[in-house]
């Protein structure tokens, strides 16, 4: 005989390609979805634009900005941004395509590139400032080198001052990039299904977290789907987890969101923080749990 106890459900998704998304159970996203889905949070995707007609993204989008052409045309001119956007927050439980990490969050497309897919530090900073001023509280920048830019760091600090977090990719050169660490952004390296850093993922003291980045099934420009690899896709996985935390606690500061992410990460490599994995591989369920036990409003009421 034993005491009868409640057993919590493990949420899943009815999206037909969910079974292809090995990275979601790896980071314990279904367990996180029992209590958080990112509702109320806007994730800015600073990239090549986003395909607004994609069936897994059309319902997720809010108006964005084209910092390269200085207009409101945020159509995807290269294809990269659509894949990044779907990784972070493709519509979940819509019986279509794939599931995003934060399937109830909204996506703000911010185009920062030319038509060849190359971004500039100036357009990145401008786009980040625009996103912060227009309600985004999580931003993803899947481009190497932005963590080294003082201009982008200033814009990231502006986002932080509004309670937002900025997530960026470490790069795909397979080397120590030699970029100093910064407390204005969360820098992400890429891991495989065995929790090893991929051979091509860049690393260094600037890395804060690791996330799956090999064979990530996601949305593709033109309405289709693709398997993509790179720190470009590890970064929006972390951005999606940040949106889960921020959705639960809109009042959280950037430091509180980071604390939930860093304290719950699965330690890999050398014990403690290191230059390959940072604090460890992101853990969605752990981050949500950590956020739930972290006090938000600590001010006592007065009469």
């Amino acid at each position: 005989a034993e005491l009868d106890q409640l057993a919590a459900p493990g949420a899943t998704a009815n999206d037909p390609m969910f079974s292809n998304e090995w990275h979601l159970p790896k980071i314990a996203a279904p367990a996180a979805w029992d209590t958080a889905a990112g509702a109320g949070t806007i994730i800015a995707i600073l990239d090549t634009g986003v395909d607004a007609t994609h069936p897994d993204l059309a319902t997720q989008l809010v108006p964005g900005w084209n910092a390269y052409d200085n207009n409101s045309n945020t159509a995807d001119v290269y294809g990269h941004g659509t894949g990044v956007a779907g990784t972070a927050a493709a519509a979940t439980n819509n019986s279509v395509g794939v599931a995003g990490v934060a399937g109830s969050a909204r996506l703000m497309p911010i185009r920062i590139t030319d038509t060849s897919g190359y971004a500039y530090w100036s357009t990145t900073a401008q786009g980040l400032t625009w996103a912060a001023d227009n309600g985004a509280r999580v931003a993803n920048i899947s481009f190497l080198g932005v963590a080294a830019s003082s201009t982008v760091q200033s814009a990231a600090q502006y986002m932080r001052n509004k309670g937002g977090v900025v997530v960026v990719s470490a790069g795909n050169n397979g080397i120590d990039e030699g970029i100093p660490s910064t407390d204005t952004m969360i820098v992400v390296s890429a891991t495989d299904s065995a929790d090893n850093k991929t051979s091509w993922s860049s690393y260094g003291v600037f890395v804060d977290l690791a996330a799956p980045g090999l064979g990530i099934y996601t949305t593709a420009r033109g309405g289709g789907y693709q398997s993509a690899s790179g720190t470009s896709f590890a970064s929006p996985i972390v951005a999606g987890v940040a949106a889960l935390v921020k959705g639960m606690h809109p009042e959280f500061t950037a430091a509180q969101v980071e604390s939930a992410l860093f304290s719950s990460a699965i330690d890999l490599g050398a014990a403690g923080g290191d230059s390959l994995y940072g604090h460890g591989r992101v853990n969605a369920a752990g981050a949500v749990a950590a956020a739930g036990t972290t006090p938000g409003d600590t001010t006592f009421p007065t009469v």
Side-chain angles (χ1 to χ4, degrees), residues 161-273:
N161 293 344
K162 290 179 175 288
V165 294
V166 179
V167 187
V168 305
S169 58
N172 304 326
N173 293 325
I175 61 172
D176 184 336
E177 296 290 346
I179 298 174
S181 60
T182 174
D183 58 5
T184 61
M185 310 173 197
I186 300 171
V187 182
V188 184
S189 63
T191 53
D192 61 19
S193 59
D195 272 342
N196 296 313
K197 185 190 78 67
T198 64
S199 61
W200 40 258
S201 175
S202 295
Y203 56 95
V205 296
F206 71 141
V207 170
D208 297 299
L209 284 173
L214 181 66
I216 306 303
Y217 214 71
T218 185
T219 47
R221 183 176 59 163
Y225 298 89
Q226 61 183 327
S227 177
S229 298
T231 57
S232 285
F233 302 94
S235 178
I237 288 174
V238 172
V241 177
L244 295 180
V245 173
K246 193 68 175 175
M248 285 184 64
H249 290 283
E251 80 284 1
F252 266 19
T253 65
Q256 286 176 301
V257 174
E258 289 173 345
S259 177
L261 294 172
F262 296 166
S263 67
S264 62
I266 305 301
D267 190 23
L268 301 175

Side-chain angles (χ1 to χ4, degrees), residues 92-107:
T92 301
N93 277 330
N94 63 340
S95 300
V96 173
V98 297
V101 175
S104 293
R106 292 293 177 259
L107 293 163

